[in-house]
Amino acid sequence: MTDTIPTEFEVLDERFAAIGGDDQVEILHTGTRWAEGPVYFPAGRFLAWSDIPNERMLRWDEMTGAVGPFRQPSGYTNGNTLDREGRLISCEQGNRRVTRTEHDGSITVIADRWQGRRLNSPNDVVVRSDGSIWFTDPPYGILSNYEGVAAEQEIDGCHVYRADPVTGEVRIVADDFTRPNGLAFSLDERRLYVADTRERHLRVFEVGDDGTLGGGKLFAEGGDRDSYDGMRLDDTGRVWVAAGKAVLCYDPDGTLIGRLKLPESVANLVFGGLKRNRLFVTASSSLYSLMTNVTGARPVWAGR
């Protein structure tokens, strides 16, 4: 029998009052050292996620509830997503690269260097409908041997990158971050949200037709309480962000309208299930799940 805890929504704005779901949050698994990077595979009806310090990825089966190994060693994988063909895209902190797992199980390196210098330790990744791959590159995987492999930083700074789907060119699209982390596109893909964990804020950029970013204005500030990590959008454009011991919900205008409180520090989240209305949350030692009345944004593999 799956363990549960009471669902605790905090309504901060009337726009959040109608959001709800099960009155119990399920604890699908516990025992990881630092759970991250949840990704839902609709074709197999399972969720995979990262346990970074243990250098492994785990797999939860939606049909049976069973948890088992997905990949080990994992290269200290952090963030994950799916591309337009349903292939796994992963940020391997320890190997300092972004990879694609092909349908036959082989691994293709998407990016591991910029201008000949090794990346820091790719953290989180999103795919746009044009096939371009966007990722953040803070140094967490090279600071020690806990979340990766201790090494010298070869690139001056921590940036946001774009890998071109045709040429494979890797270029910096934003270079004024301290610790870039989670990122997500708006529903129309004309904006890109990026979290800066060290600065405790979220910024939003305008995405040009040529794949460049403009603007970068402040979208939300966490203050002393909230340090932002991973994020996803729902199908109304609301931004759901991992921060502290909660999942925060922001209206598209930047107003914090509510939060889902959890007992552990939250790292990342994803909407999954047959109707994309099941919220999966990775938090410290555990994987949580809540069936909600919210539907996640249409993923890139489903078309726009």
XYZ file of all heavy atoms in Angstrom, residues 19 28 33 48 51 72 91 97 114 118 143 150 156 162 217 234 244 249 276 298:
172
model
N -8.104 25.526 -7.642
C -7.151 24.447 -7.891
C -7.206 23.434 -6.746
O -7.187 23.798 -5.565
C -5.725 25.015 -8.046
C -5.636 25.813 -9.348
C -4.677 23.904 -8.026
C -4.312 26.485 -9.585
N 5.444 7.845 -3.562
C 5.648 6.693 -4.444
C 6.941 5.946 -4.137
O 7.040 4.751 -4.388
C 5.647 7.142 -5.904
C 4.369 7.841 -6.385
C 4.518 8.232 -7.848
C 3.150 6.953 -6.180
N 19.072 9.976 -2.249
C 19.887 10.989 -1.571
C 19.510 12.400 -2.014
O 19.469 13.306 -1.218
C 21.380 10.732 -1.839
C 21.969 9.643 -0.962
C 23.499 9.719 -0.940
N 24.026 8.993 0.202
C 24.370 7.707 0.179
N 24.226 7.009 -0.939
N 24.856 7.120 1.256
N 10.623 8.209 -14.950
C 12.021 8.034 -14.560
C 12.477 9.300 -13.863
O 12.006 10.399 -14.171
C 12.889 7.743 -15.774
N 18.611 10.174 -9.128
C 19.113 10.181 -7.747
C 20.591 10.539 -7.873
O 21.441 9.661 -8.020
C 18.903 8.817 -7.104
C 19.407 8.754 -5.667
O 19.783 9.810 -5.111
O 19.418 7.649 -5.093
N 22.137 2.851 -14.324
C 23.214 2.990 -13.345
C 24.476 2.318 -13.890
O 24.408 1.155 -14.274
C 22.831 2.359 -12.001
C 23.810 2.687 -10.896
C 23.311 2.246 -9.517
O 22.372 1.474 -9.397
N 23.935 2.748 -8.473
N 20.739 15.734 -18.806
C 21.890 16.539 -18.396
C 22.758 15.695 -17.471
O 22.386 15.451 -16.322
C 21.430 17.803 -17.666
S 20.593 18.998 -18.710
N 27.893 16.843 -19.892
C 27.359 16.817 -21.239
C 25.834 16.676 -21.229
O 25.233 16.274 -20.227
C 27.969 15.651 -22.017
C 27.597 14.274 -21.473
C 28.341 13.159 -22.178
N 27.807 11.843 -21.819
C 28.236 10.694 -22.316
N 29.228 10.688 -23.209
N 27.677 9.538 -21.951
N 31.870 24.053 -25.390
C 31.587 25.332 -26.030
C 32.925 25.959 -26.410
O 33.784 26.152 -25.553
C 30.801 26.258 -25.100
C 30.592 27.627 -25.679
C 29.708 27.985 -26.656
C 31.296 28.820 -25.309
N 29.820 29.320 -26.933
C 30.788 29.865 -26.123
C 32.301 29.106 -24.382
C 31.256 31.177 -26.024
C 32.769 30.409 -24.286
C 32.250 31.420 -25.097
N 35.278 22.440 -22.077
C 34.249 21.570 -21.501
C 33.200 22.388 -20.754
O 33.509 23.383 -20.090
C 34.868 20.552 -20.543
C 35.821 19.561 -21.206
C 36.196 18.454 -20.248
N 35.063 17.554 -19.988
C 35.080 16.590 -19.077
N 36.167 16.418 -18.324
N 34.040 15.814 -18.903
N 31.947 20.871 -8.410
C 32.404 21.486 -7.161
C 32.968 20.457 -6.192
O 33.805 20.774 -5.349
C 31.251 22.247 -6.499
C 30.715 23.463 -7.263
C 29.545 24.080 -6.498
C 31.811 24.494 -7.492
N 34.757 16.186 -9.133
C 35.443 17.452 -8.877
C 36.415 17.767 -10.002
O 37.211 16.916 -10.411
C 36.180 17.384 -7.539
N 34.369 30.560 -18.365
C 34.219 31.685 -17.451
C 32.744 32.040 -17.317
O 32.168 32.684 -18.195
C 35.013 32.894 -17.965
C 34.961 34.068 -16.984
O 34.623 33.835 -15.809
O 35.256 35.200 -17.415
N 21.946 27.061 -26.229
C 21.033 26.487 -27.221
C 21.837 25.623 -28.179
O 22.854 26.066 -28.719
C 20.317 27.576 -28.009
C 19.406 27.068 -29.139
C 18.872 28.230 -29.961
N 17.933 27.798 -30.984
C 18.255 27.429 -32.235
N 19.548 27.427 -32.595
N 17.318 27.068 -33.095
N 13.708 40.236 -18.262
C 13.208 40.985 -17.115
C 12.868 40.057 -15.954
O 12.650 38.852 -16.132
C 11.977 41.794 -17.511
C 10.754 40.968 -17.841
C 9.575 41.872 -18.204
C 8.317 41.041 -18.514
N 7.163 41.907 -18.865
N 1.414 24.710 -16.762
C 0.179 23.988 -17.046
C -0.431 24.556 -18.325
O 0.121 25.466 -18.951
C -0.785 24.023 -15.851
C -1.295 25.420 -15.522
O -1.361 26.282 -16.420
O -1.652 25.658 -14.347
N 12.130 25.709 -2.075
C 12.018 25.371 -0.662
C 11.227 24.090 -0.481
O 11.327 23.151 -1.275
N 3.016 28.271 -7.392
C 2.251 28.472 -8.607
C 2.138 29.968 -8.889
O 1.637 30.724 -8.043
C 0.866 27.851 -8.487
S -0.138 28.019 -9.984
N -2.276 14.002 -18.295
C -1.317 15.038 -17.882
C -1.820 15.833 -16.669
O -1.465 16.996 -16.493
C -0.979 16.006 -19.029
C -0.362 15.363 -20.238
C 0.317 16.383 -21.146
N -0.525 17.507 -21.508
C -1.430 17.497 -22.487
N -1.597 16.395 -23.199
N -2.141 18.561 -22.757
N 0.868 21.105 -23.013
C 1.054 20.093 -24.066
C 2.548 19.929 -24.341
O 3.230 20.893 -24.690
C 0.317 20.522 -25.337
C 0.252 19.462 -26.434
C -0.603 19.975 -27.581
N -0.700 19.000 -28.665
C -1.548 17.999 -28.716
N -2.385 17.801 -27.701
N -1.586 17.173 -29.749
